[in-house]
Amino acid sequence: MNIHPDEYVNDLYDEDLLLTEVIRTIQERGMPEVSVAPAYGRLLTFLVQTSGAKQIVEIGALGGYSGICLSRGMSEEGRLTSLELKEEYAALAHSQLTKAGYGDKVEYKIGPAADSLEQLKIEGKKFDFFFIDADKENYPVYLEYAIELANPGAVIVGDNCFLRGRTLNTEKNGPSVQAVRKFNELIATDDRLVSTMLPAYDGLALAYVK
Ligand SMILES: C[S@@+](CC[C@H](N)C(=O)[O-])C[C@H]1O[C@@H](n2cnc3c(N)ncnc32)[C@H](O)[C@@H]1O
């Protein structure tokens, strides 16, 4: 019998009861079930921890799953700024991060992320880590803000670069697909970045800001 790689890897680890509860709450509330996968969450923890990032931006909070994973990688001085369109999602995410012990290390900025990013730029803020996981049409906008708000050596992670195959389907050319293709091309070609794109999960972009 062949076991699916995701299942095999998940079975290597003890069940993460806190994150199971986050998923259960998302299901109960009828919210979109689009949190990052468990091993992907561990990758976020790993990247924050190994990069030593202190100031982190998350674009798209949903129910707090990726927020907990990012926070787990932070040192004592680490802070998460999470940008979320919907107030009720941010409130849930905050309650989940509080249960996880990170409630006082996270600040939620409610509203369109592009507006929050512009505000952070006006305030002269700088960050060490960006996780982009929100509306796809704005991915190129989010990437440019991330580069502008980055300290040298910052890490940028972008999710859903394949759009469940639509990015790779030449017959699909809607606004989200075009925006994500542009994002992927920028990640690959922008001289300010060192990058790679992994054909894992739904397509995972990883970049380092020079
Ligand atoms: C894929 S979900 C995020 C999942 C989350 N990162 C996780 O893995 O736990 C996308 C989130 O982006 C939010 N969102 C959509 N459009 C947005 C916008 N313009 N600005 C900020 N957040 C937005 C949605 O409300 C949703 O919560």
Side-chain angles (χ1 to χ4, degrees), residues 13-208:
Y13 293 84
D14 288 339
E15 187 184 358
D16 193 318
L17 294 174
L18 200 67
L19 293 178
T20 302
E21 175 63 18
V22 170
I23 296 298
R24 198 181 57 78
T25 307
I26 286 171
Q27 288 167 343
E28 273 175 10
R29 297 194 181 191
M31 291 162 62
E33 293 182 40
V34 288
S35 308
V36 295
Y40 192 149
R42 282 191 292 273
L43 175 67
L44 293 176
T45 305
F46 175 90
L47 289 171
V48 172
Q49 191 149 16
T50 51
S51 67
K54 292 190 174 63
Q55 296 292 338
I56 297 157
V57 171
E58 170 186 62
I59 307 178
L62 192 68
Y65 194 111
S66 58
I68 291 174
C69 296
L70 292 164
S71 301
R72 283 177 172 169
M74 297 187 316
S75 65
E76 196 47 45
E77 309 122 272
R79 294 289 178 275
L80 174 65
T81 302
S82 182
L83 316 181
E84 172 54 53
L85 185 63
K86 297 194 175 186
E87 194 161 5
E88 68 270 27
Y89 289 3
L92 172 63
H94 196 185
S95 75
Q96 301 290 24
L97 265 81
T98 302
K99 276 188 213 159
Y102 305 111
D104 59 346
K105 300 204 182 279
V106 59
E107 181 187 1
Y108 288 90
K109 295 195 179 285
I110 320 283
D115 294 353
S116 302
L117 289 162
E118 178 60 24
Q119 191 55 40
L120 292 169
K121 190 174 147 184
I122 290 167
E123 290 166 11
K125 297 276 171 61
K126 291 285 176 187
F127 297 88
D128 309 305
F129 198 104
F130 300 83
F131 178 46
I132 302 173
D133 190 22
D135 53 316
K136 308 310 162 198
E137 289 181 35
N138 275 315
Y139 264 38
V141 174
Y142 297 154
L143 180 60
E144 185 55 37
Y145 271 115
I147 296 171
E148 288 177 17
L149 290 167
N151 283 318
V155 174
I156 301 172
V157 180
D159 194 16
N160 306 114
C161 299
F162 292 166
L163 292 175
R164 295 172 201 274
R166 280 183 293 143
T167 310
L168 321 172
N169 183 340
T170 52
E171 285 167 23
K172 302 278 182 196
N173 289 298
S176 298
V177 176
Q178 289 193 38
V180 169
R181 282 190 192 130
K182 171 124 186 268
F183 171 88
N184 294 343
E185 285 157 20
L186 290 168
I187 283 276
T189 58
D190 195 303
D191 286 342
R192 296 167 292 178
L193 304 175
V194 176
S195 74
T196 187
M197 190 163 294
L198 297 179
Y201 299 106
D202 189 23
L204 178 61
L206 297 170
Y208 170 91

